[in-house]
Amino acid sequence: MRALTDVVSFAPASPEEILRPPQPWFVLLTLLAALVANMAPASGVFMALRPDFLAVVLLYWCIQAPRYVGVGTAWFVGLVMDVADATLFGQHALAYAVLAFAADYFRRRVLRFPLWQQAVQVAVLLVATAGLVLVVRFIGGAPMPRWTYAAPPIVGALLWPLLSVLLQRPQRPRRRGDR
Amino acid sequence: MAMRPIPVDAPAFFHRGPSPLARLAFFGLLSIALLFADTRYRYLEGIRQVAGTVLYPFQRAVEMPAEAVAWVGRYFADKAHLADENVELRQALTAQAPVAQAFPQLREENDRLKTLLDLQARYGNTGRAVEVLYTGRDPFTQKVFVNKGMQAGLAPGEAVLDDRGVVGQVTRVFPYMAEVTLVTDKDQAVPVKVERSGVRSVLFGNGTGRAPDLRFTAPSADVRVGDRLLTSGIDGTYPPNLPVAEVIDIERDTGQMFARIATRPLSGVDRSQYLLVLGQAAAAPARPEEPADSDVVKRGRGRGRRG
């Protein structure tokens, strides 16, 4: 019963709470799930609004578990995304590598803020990454995308609080009464 | 539960490998090299094929729930709706009956004429019906993915149609799926002719949400608003006389070298669910060599043009 109430309580961890290191398989699983979510078929409005789940999850692990997920991992995951999307080889890889670097730079500061303020900072990072992709594609001769191009990073940032709470669940320290 | 050993790592300031900035520089340069190799030389198609095959099961797994929902939806489809559709289809069938009845006779006649003229059929009955799996996620391009690939004998360069006209062209083929670049993709070119006057031109896509236009057409060319554009077939990619687009706006400015002609695709482009892939047209004979004497003339004039 205790475990159930534990799961149901969705309060985010306070900055003072020390989280245990995540299990590597959990990190891998969440990245895989995000990749699958990215590949899910969509059309119309959903297509235009669909955030880059992989970028948000990567960002989370770059901030929370920098020893497991860094620039190199992000780059490789980006390559996989390039294949899945049939975009230019190296486009997502470059974007994710820059995102991981920025995350490493801001890591210690971001976590001091409440979740919604973290989301604002995440929005800035995601928009900057989308801008980088835009520049890369422009150089490659692509046309200007529609204005909806700006939507996915914003939606991704709005997802940040929810994803943070979900992803940090297994790392929350057990209370004294457990086990 | 056994106690998990506490991770004993050296403090962070002892060993962390190269700094994040160094890593970023390394991977950043690697990405730029990849981007360059992909845009300029297309070296990486092999890697893409292999990786695409590995990812395929995941993609199918993701699509399954959506397919299941669609199936259930079809199962409980409104009976009245089906009856309506039935009536509509019957009417369409009746309307097409005269054409269908005349067809065998026409084909026979055509075959005889072709034999007389000793012509090769430009394309056989090699159409393969495919279904669109999903539209490409890349917001910069206009692509869809279809459910047949190498397995069904699809090849890059084949024309793709729907029931109203040309949709695009197969550009990449994976073992179980294929990528179709739509006519609206930026700089996707389709050689066309005006149905009414026979004026030849080339239709270029302009990217998402923008009308494709006819380029390199003189302001004086015989093109009017409402003209239908058919494939001209001179490229050997698209079979001739397939409807492509309709002219919706013409801007003639005699000061300009070419007229500005906006068009609207006749096919559903990215809205059609079922498409037809037409086999490659018979290879056109090689371009004739330039006569030797003309070469001499050109050289005499100075720099000859590369052909």
Side-chain angles (χ1 to χ4, degrees):
Chain A
M1 219 45 227
R2 179 61 176 274
L4 189 68
T5 50
D6 240 24
V7 172
V8 171
S9 75
F10 265 114
S14 68
E16 285 72 35
E17 202 171 325
I18 296 169
L19 298 174
R20 296 183 305 158
Q23 300 288 340
W25 65 263
F26 182 66
V27 176
L28 199 67
L29 193 74
T30 52
L31 286 177
L32 210 59
L35 177 70
V36 167
N38 267 5
M39 290 193 303
S43 55
V45 182
F46 291 106
M47 181 85 175
L49 288 181
R50 176 161 60 178
D52 190 345
F53 293 100
L54 198 50
V56 182
V57 172
L58 257 181
L59 194 55
Y60 180 82
W61 289 126
C62 284
I63 289 171
Q64 286 285 5
R67 291 209 340 231
Y68 293 142
V69 179
V71 174
T73 319
W75 182 81
F76 180 76
V77 168
L79 269 195
V80 176
M81 197 60 227
D82 282 330
V83 173
D85 256 13
T87 46
L88 282 183
F89 240 125
Q91 171 194 316
H92 281 97
L94 179 65
Y96 289 176
V98 171
L99 187 68
F101 175 75
D104 190 74
Y105 194 81
F106 290 116
R107 174 160 68 86
R108 290 176 188 83
R109 203 188 65 189
V110 168
L111 291 177
R112 305 297 307 171
F113 289 95
L115 276 182
W116 70 268
Q117 286 180 19
Q118 288 180 22
V120 174
Q121 306 189 24
V122 165
V124 173
L125 288 183
L126 291 177
V127 168
T129 314
L132 179 71
V133 170
L134 191 67
V135 169
V136 167
R137 295 308 296 265
F138 260 155
I139 295 170
M144 185 74 185
R146 290 181 187 184
W147 64 269
T148 50
Y149 183 70
I154 306 295
V155 177
L158 292 177
L159 269 183
W160 174 263
L162 179 68
L163 275 175
S164 314
V165 170
L166 283 179
L167 291 177
Q168 76 192 4
R169 276 262 25 117
Q171 281 80 255
R172 300 288 286 277
R174 295 206 179 91
R175 308 239 176 81
R176 229 176 295 151
D178 296 357
R179 310 260 162 169
Chain B
M1 190 187 131
M3 280 274 283
R4 199 168 313 172
I6 298 159
V8 217
D9 282 50
F13 46 82
F14 278 133
H15 60 86
R16 289 195 61 188
S19 75
L21 189 61
R23 281 171 212 236
L24 178 68
F26 174 73
F27 286 113
L29 284 177
L30 205 56
S31 320
I32 291 168
L34 279 177
L35 281 168
F36 192 71
D38 198 24
T39 31
R40 289 273 173 269
Y41 304 109
R42 307 211 155 263
Y43 278 149
L44 307 163
E45 291 302 301
I47 302 172
R48 210 186 268 281
Q49 292 274 341
V50 174
T53 315
V54 172
L55 280 173
Y56 180 75
F58 286 106
Q59 285 171 331
R60 290 304 302 187
V62 169
E63 281 146 23
M64 245 167 239
E67 276 171 22
V69 169
W71 186 83
V72 171
R74 272 203 303 277
Y75 188 80
F76 293 107
D78 194 5
K79 203 178 150 194
H81 172 74
L82 285 178
D84 278 356
E85 199 173 86
N86 211 339
V87 170
E88 233 170 77
L89 288 174
R90 222 176 276 272
Q91 279 170 357
L93 197 66
T94 320
Q96 283 168 3
V99 186
Q101 281 155 14
F103 182 68
Q105 187 200 337
L106 281 175
R107 190 169 57 184
E108 214 170 285
E109 197 177 309
N110 206 358
D111 280 349
R112 253 179 289 149
L113 286 171
K114 267 183 193 157
T115 331
L116 278 177
L117 290 168
D118 199 19
L119 283 178
Q120 290 259 319
R122 290 300 295 272
Y123 58 99
N125 277 335
T126 49
R128 276 142 299 167
V130 294
E131 189 180 350
V132 175
L133 287 175
Y134 55 91
T135 44
R137 221 176 99 83
D138 187 10
F140 299 96
T141 52
Q142 289 272 291
K143 286 174 182 171
V144 294
F145 289 81
V146 296
N147 67 345
K148 281 181 189 163
M150 248 174 242
Q151 235 42 1
L154 262 60
E158 290 180 329
V160 182
L161 331 170
D162 70 356
D163 51 344
R164 280 164 291 171
V166 172
V167 167
Q169 189 181 10
V170 176
T171 42
R172 254 185 216 137
V173 182
F174 301 99
Y176 296 97
M177 54 196 259
E179 178 198 88
V180 175
T181 302
L182 304 174
V183 286
T184 46
D185 191 48
K186 182 161 188 260
D187 291 341
Q188 176 74 6
V190 184
V192 293
K193 64 181 179 203
V194 177
E195 187 181 33
R196 184 179 49 78
S197 60
V199 171
R200 272 197 297 272
S201 181
V202 184
L203 184 77
F204 280 87
N206 274 329
T208 317
R210 295 183 186 83
D213 62 346
L214 284 184
R215 292 187 201 165
F216 317 122
T217 307
S220 58
D222 187 4
V223 184
R224 288 184 209 150
V225 171
D227 274 351
R228 265 159 48 103
L229 303 170
L230 310 179
T231 50
S232 63
I234 53 172
D235 55 341
T237 295
Y238 294 97
N241 300 323
L242 301 169
V244 184
E246 183 185 24
V247 176
I248 51 170
D249 185 41
I250 304 181
E251 224 176 276
R252 292 180 210 269
D253 181 356
T254 40
Q256 299 288 322
M257 188 94 83
F258 303 114
R260 200 169 296 173
I261 304 172
T263 68
R264 182 180 53 221
L266 289 167
S267 66
V269 190
D270 51 354
R271 287 180 300 278
S272 304
Q273 181 71 19
Y274 297 95
L275 306 173
L276 185 76
V277 179
L278 275 189
Q280 196 82 329
R287 201 182 155 141
E289 296 262 325
E290 297 227 344
D293 54 348
S294 79
D295 207 32
V296 172
V297 172
K298 269 185 197 162
R299 231 175 257 154
R301 258 192 281 150
R303 280 171 55 199
R305 251 192 306 158
R306 300 264 130 221

